[in-house]
Amino acid sequence: NSPAHFMRSTVSRLPSSVSVKQKVNLPLGIVLQPLAPLPPEMEEVPSVNFVSVGTIVRCKNCRTYVNPYVHWESNGRRWRCNMCGESQATTDAYVNSLDDQGKRVDRFQKHELHK
């Protein structure tokens, strides 16, 4: 969900079916401002640095970036993509052990795994 500062729609609710859409006949418009300056009350989006790993960790099948919703396997040596379900080896430089819930112990030090 994007804050209204970055994305606004001409309608607040979308029609629930095609027939309702045709009856209402309202045009849908969206104004996107992804590079708009941050309002003072918003937290800055953290940047992710993969220099120590040597490459950006992505799914080899669908190219999804590693994210908080991937499933870690084999004590962190493998991960399953949350988008396509593909299981793949974790780059040696990115391997870390898991806690008793199957979550990486370093997840709060890596923005890509908890934000």
Side-chain angles (χ1 to χ4, degrees):
N1 294 330
S2 176
H5 180 74
F6 297 108
M7 184 170 96
R8 288 190 182 232
S9 174
T10 56
V11 295
S12 60
R13 296 177 190 249
L14 296 174
S16 59
S17 68
V18 175
S19 62
V20 172
K21 179 187 174 288
Q22 291 170 343
K23 288 177 189 172
V24 174
N25 199 24
L26 281 176
L28 172 64
I30 296 176
V31 176
L32 293 173
Q33 299 183 99
L35 301 176
L38 288 175
E41 69 275 2
M42 285 190 72
E43 179 183 349
E44 187 170 329
V45 176
S47 61
V48 176
N49 189 345
F50 283 104
V51 171
S52 63
V53 179
T55 183
I56 296 173
V57 182
R58 296 181 76 177
C59 176
K60 291 182 180 9
N61 185 46
C62 71
R63 307 300 295 159
T64 296
Y65 295 96
V66 69
N67 62 72
Y69 306 105
V70 301
H71 178 74
W72 297 97
E73 304 169 336
S74 303
N75 200 28
R77 297 214 167 271
R78 297 191 66 78
W79 61 282
R80 184 172 302 278
C81 178
N82 62 305
M83 300 299 279
C84 70
E86 182 78 16
S87 179
Q88 50 219 308
T90 305
T91 307
D92 288 339
Y94 201 70
V95 171
N96 204 296
S97 58
L98 307 179
D99 63 14
D100 58 340
Q101 296 177 336
K103 306 277 186 188
R104 284 177 58 121
V105 294
D106 67 340
R107 68 185 176 275
F108 295 114
Q109 285 79 44
K110 297 190 175 292
H111 296 297
E112 69 272 18
L113 297 179
H114 79 280
K115 287 280 183 176

